[in-house]
Amino acid sequence: MAKRQSGVCLVQHRFLRTPTFMRISMHIPSAKSALRLLGISVGSAKVKCYDLFEGKQLMANEPCSAGGDRTIPPLKALMLIDGMESITAGGTERQFLQLAQIAKSCGVKPWIGILRKTEWLTEEIAGCPVQHFDLHTLKSITGLREMARVVSWIKAQRFDVLQTFFSDSNLFGPLLGRLSGIPVITGTRRCLSDPAQLPKPWSQLIYQFRNAMVDNVIANSMAVMQSVLDVERFSPSKLDVVYNGVDLQALRVARHQGHQVRSELHIGKEHLLVGNISGLRKVKGLPTFLKAASIAAKNDPKLRFVIVGEGDMRPMLEQMITSEGLEEVVSLVGAQHDVRPYLAAMDIAVLCSTAEGLSNSLLEYMAAGLPIIATDVGGNREVVGDVGILIPPEKPEDLASAILSLRSADRRREMGQNAYQNVGRFDIRIAEQRMADHFRRYAQNPKIRRRKKQEE
């Protein structure tokens, strides 16, 4: 593999409540470019940047150290997850499969381990070996036996790196990794609080026990990073932020792709289509979307609404559509393997979640050049910034008002263009570069280097 140079800087940001350092790993020519990629205004935000290799503070335009030869030696990584309903279950699931491909592009040999059987996910679909387990709990003899089987299998594979995803994997994975002798263990956090919902009297002890076994944790936004600091009291020196990435080329939308969708939904040229791409889960705030649809449609009968996604809230949402008399106004189209035709059909894009880590739907909206309305929660402000409309969560009147404010075609066009121009910092290539830097850092771990020397 060709040698690649990388700059790495340490950023102290004013958004953090305590003096906290956040490492940002990426291919960057200067600290200023790192801040721009993070969406931080160099002029207005009080930030300090430090070169991790040279141990010195940097001025905004000063180049970061390349850190010498940083070619990635062959690494074998286990990516451990709880389980997945389907590839269309949500953005996190899609991002996970994307990360497996990023690992391959970095020269790493990824394996996917699934704690609970997910039969549909095969090596052909994942693009790498897949191992299924049946580990649901550690509170029974059966569960402990399955844990022993998992540990035995992991040990035999001699993985260099364990990366955990989702709540149970993040909870149990570090213990499985240490019992299996994996040198480097890294966790991920992709939501504002730990979804494991641990009992409060014991939560801090469990967090400390688990996090003591982890070498570092990767958050997908600064908001999530702050949540980890607040909730888990995790060491700031072991936290990194890597934003989600989207393939901007693959998401390019041609408007003609939306004609068939609009025809199928009986949306005429005179109608404005307001879309929401979300899993049908409580956290996505879809009752607020339907209440806003009812309010806005009464003010303008030309408005139409579509929800793209599936989940356990569907029966409740269908009942709500009926009770609100929205059968001719709102369409539930289910999960879609390809959302591009729906993006092309939309005039306005909405995300009304009550909590978010970093929304893939927002990135897809921006890549499609759509005007965006989003709730001001989690990482949404980091993504949308000033190119969209931010509203409080669970406020249908505010959402309806924002929708009605976008009936001007000129305003929608201007907002859509601004959104598209700002999505470049979430290009998949940047995510690939950041993860490549992580794998290079893992490869320099003394325990991995000793193992590699023993294998020579």
Side-chain angles (χ1 to χ4, degrees):
M1 181 182 295
K3 294 180 181 179
R4 299 170 72 180
Q5 299 297 308
S6 172
V8 183
C9 72
L10 190 69
V11 179
Q12 183 180 26
H13 195 274
R14 68 180 175 88
F15 293 161
L16 303 180
R17 298 173 193 169
T18 56
T20 303
F21 294 106
M22 175 180 63
R23 284 185 306 209
I24 306 296
S25 304
M26 64 189 75
H27 293 252
I28 49 174
S30 69
K32 178 185 281 188
S33 60
L35 300 177
R36 283 177 175 167
L37 286 170
L38 290 170
I40 300 171
S41 170
V42 177
S44 62
K46 295 180 180 179
V47 296
K48 294 180 181 179
C49 300
Y50 297 85
D51 189 308
L52 290 183
F53 296 113
E54 299 296 332
K56 64 179 183 180
Q57 185 172 345
L58 298 171
M59 299 301 291
N61 287 312
E62 188 176 351
C64 296
S65 166
D69 180 2
R70 309 194 65 214
T71 305
I72 304 177
L75 288 177
K76 191 174 180 182
L78 175 61
M79 306 176 76
L80 192 66
I81 62 171
D82 302 354
M84 289 195 290
E85 290 180 17
S86 70
I87 199 169
T88 58
T92 298
E93 288 79 4
R94 294 196 300 274
Q95 282 289 323
F96 168 74
L97 293 176
Q98 186 183 77
L99 283 171
Q101 296 308 308
I102 288 175
K104 285 180 68 176
S105 72
C106 294
V108 175
K109 297 177 181 177
W111 282 63
I112 292 176
I114 305 173
L115 294 180
R116 291 184 283 277
K117 291 182 178 178
T118 305
E119 283 79 4
W120 68 266
L121 185 54
T122 63
E123 181 172 345
E124 183 179 2
I125 294 173
C128 65
V130 177
Q131 179 68 28
H132 295 270
F133 303 109
D134 193 23
L135 183 59
H136 294 264
T137 180
L138 300 181
K139 297 178 181 179
S140 68
I141 297 297
T142 302
L144 292 174
R145 284 174 180 164
E146 182 64 12
M147 185 185 80
R149 188 176 81 84
V150 174
V151 170
S152 177
W153 180 84
I154 295 175
K155 231 180 229 186
Q157 298 302 318
R158 291 184 63 81
F159 290 106
D160 301 303
V161 177
L162 170 64
Q163 190 162 12
T164 60
F165 298 83
F166 308 161
S167 59
D168 287 352
S169 174
N170 277 322
L171 186 61
F172 303 138
L175 176 61
L176 296 175
R178 289 303 174 211
L179 291 175
S180 305
I182 296 180
V184 174
I185 298 175
T186 181
T188 59
R189 303 289 187 273
R190 308 183 71 81
C191 56
L192 286 182
S193 61
D194 193 327
Q197 299 296 320
L198 298 173
K200 288 191 176 180
W202 300 99
S203 60
Q204 286 305 319
L205 287 175
I206 295 172
Y207 288 143
Q208 289 173 16
F209 177 73
R210 173 189 66 180
N211 293 341
M213 295 182 282
V214 175
D215 293 285
N216 81 308
V217 164
I218 298 173
N220 67 345
S221 70
M222 290 175 65
V224 170
M225 179 197 69
Q226 187 62 60
S227 176
V228 174
L229 290 170
D230 292 343
V231 176
E232 301 182 41
R233 301 177 187 174
F234 197 76
S235 170
S237 65
K238 296 165 71 174
L239 267 174
D240 293 292
V241 172
V242 177
Y243 283 136
N244 297 352
V246 290
D247 190 335
L248 298 182
Q249 293 299 317
L251 276 172
R252 292 184 68 178
V253 172
R255 282 295 157 195
H256 71 268
Q257 290 180 289
H259 295 335
Q260 183 176 350
V261 168
R262 291 179 73 99
S263 176
E264 291 171 354
L265 298 178
H266 307 291
I267 308 293
K269 291 183 179 179
E270 72 279 12
H271 294 126
L272 283 181
L273 182 58
V274 183
N276 188 320
I277 300 178
S278 296
L280 309 188
R281 305 190 301 275
K282 183 178 179 181
V283 72
K284 296 301 180 180
L286 292 169
T288 297
F289 184 72
L290 293 183
K291 289 176 185 176
S294 179
I295 296 168
K298 288 174 183 174
N299 281 272
D300 189 340
K302 293 181 181 179
L303 289 170
R304 295 293 183 270
F305 300 80
V306 62
I307 299 174
V308 182
E310 197 54 82
D312 56 15
M313 286 191 68
R314 187 183 184 100
M316 187 272 277
L317 296 174
E318 289 174 337
Q319 183 179 6
M320 191 173 174
I321 288 171
T322 301
S323 64
E324 294 281 346
L326 297 172
E327 296 93 332
E328 302 299 319
V329 176
V330 178
S331 300
L332 290 175
V333 299
Q336 303 293 322
H337 285 282
D338 186 358
V339 299
R340 289 175 297 179
Y342 290 88
L343 292 168
M346 294 176 192
D347 298 294
I348 299 168
V350 171
L351 184 77
C352 46
S353 305
T354 57
E356 280 289 349
L358 191 131
S359 169
N360 293 288
S361 292
L362 286 183
L363 304 185
E364 292 168 349
Y365 297 162
M366 294 173 75
L370 287 167
I372 297 168
I373 303 168
T375 44
D376 192 4
V377 297
N380 289 354
R381 179 174 289 272
E382 295 171 55
V383 176
V384 174
D386 58 0
V387 301
I389 299 175
L390 291 169
I391 60 171
E394 300 183 292
K395 298 287 185 182
E397 297 83 3
D398 289 4
L399 177 54
S401 177
I403 291 168
L404 292 169
S405 75
L406 291 179
R407 287 177 290 178
S408 163
D410 288 341
R411 190 180 183 203
R412 292 198 307 275
R413 189 179 306 108
E414 180 183 1
M415 284 182 61
Q417 289 172 350
N418 289 338
Y420 181 77
Q421 290 168 2
N422 279 273
V423 76
R425 58 200 172 98
F426 300 103
D427 192 301
I428 186 63
R429 291 172 294 179
I430 295 174
E432 288 174 353
Q433 292 164 357
R434 294 177 185 177
M435 288 309 301
D437 281 326
H438 278 281
F439 284 119
R440 288 189 186 94
R441 186 148 49 88
Y442 301 154
Q444 299 305 312
N445 184 283
K447 289 181 284 187
I448 289 183
R449 296 176 75 172
R450 283 196 298 270
R451 172 183 281 190
K452 293 301 180 184
K453 285 183 179 179
Q454 291 171 359
E455 292 174 351
E456 290 176 356

